[in-house]
Amino acid sequence: MIPKDTDSYNNLIKYKRLIRKPCISVLAFSKNNFNPTFATEHNELEKTVINILSWLDNNSNPPIEKTPELRQKVGSFKDATNTLCTHLPDVKAKELRIFKGKITDNAFYYCDNIERGGWEKHTTTIELPQPVLEHQAYLDTGISAEEEE
């Protein structure tokens, strides 16, 4: 995929990084504040974060049609965050909600850049320089180094 303009491409990279950072922070938060009483809620939160990170890794250049998948994963993450926050002390819940806001906002801007960024998919064929073509023709003759001497 080649972006029509590099600003759009740079924004995609920027927002992808801005999604990943708080996702990793949420995973660390969940491990550091684990409460066995709410193991199911912690596991659900971690699963949704891993799903977001996996989607980002598996869709390096996503088409517009793929953005609803990311939006759905972020929605599941928001649900898991809200569920766990009901069981956390106010200070910890506030910290988790800050991460949720960062992930939600940056995922929105990431999808928006894909949808409005003007991605154009096509392939390009570049002619090889003449010396490379001549060398390839020489290699294609099949003459070994021993025969050359």
Side-chain angles (χ1 to χ4, degrees):
M1 264 195 251
I2 300 172
K4 286 183 181 174
D5 59 63
T6 55
D7 289 341
S8 174
Y9 181 72
N10 290 337
N11 281 338
L12 287 176
I13 292 172
K14 176 180 96 173
Y15 287 119
K16 190 179 274 195
R17 285 183 185 145
L18 290 173
I19 295 168
R20 280 192 175 117
K21 285 181 181 181
C23 280
I24 293 167
S25 297
V26 168
L27 290 174
F29 175 90
S30 182
K31 294 294 182 200
N32 293 332
N33 296 289
F34 185 78
N35 183 340
T37 310
F38 310 115
T40 305
E41 289 83 356
H42 280 282
N43 290 339
E44 185 63 25
L45 178 68
E46 290 172 13
K47 183 180 86 172
T48 59
V49 170
I50 290 169
N51 284 341
I52 292 170
L53 291 170
S54 297
W55 189 93
L56 291 171
D57 287 342
N58 293 332
N59 296 286
S60 58
N61 294 315
I64 292 172
E65 299 80 31
K66 288 274 200 171
T67 57
E69 288 178 18
L70 179 59
R71 292 182 194 273
Q72 185 271 328
K73 291 178 186 322
V74 171
S76 297
F77 164 73
K78 288 166 51 178
D79 293 342
T81 303
N82 291 337
T83 303
L84 183 59
C85 282
T86 60
H87 303 294
L88 295 174
D90 287 344
V91 174
K92 296 295 180 182
K94 182 179 180 183
E95 186 179 345
L96 187 55
R97 285 188 182 108
I98 290 170
F99 291 134
K100 179 184 84 168
K102 288 179 181 179
I103 293 170
T104 303
D105 290 348
N106 290 317
F108 171 79
Y109 293 125
Y110 179 74
C111 291
D112 190 54
N113 269 292
I114 292 169
E115 293 166 355
R116 297 172 193 246
W119 284 88
E120 186 177 301
K121 293 186 175 189
H122 57 84
T123 57
T124 304
T125 306
I126 300 172
E127 287 295 320
L128 294 173
Q130 190 61 34
V132 174
L133 294 172
E134 290 170 3
H135 183 69
Q136 184 60 47
Y138 170 76
L139 293 175
D140 290 341
T141 61
I143 299 173
S144 68
E146 294 166 358
E147 291 175 14
E148 246 182 37
E149 294 174 0

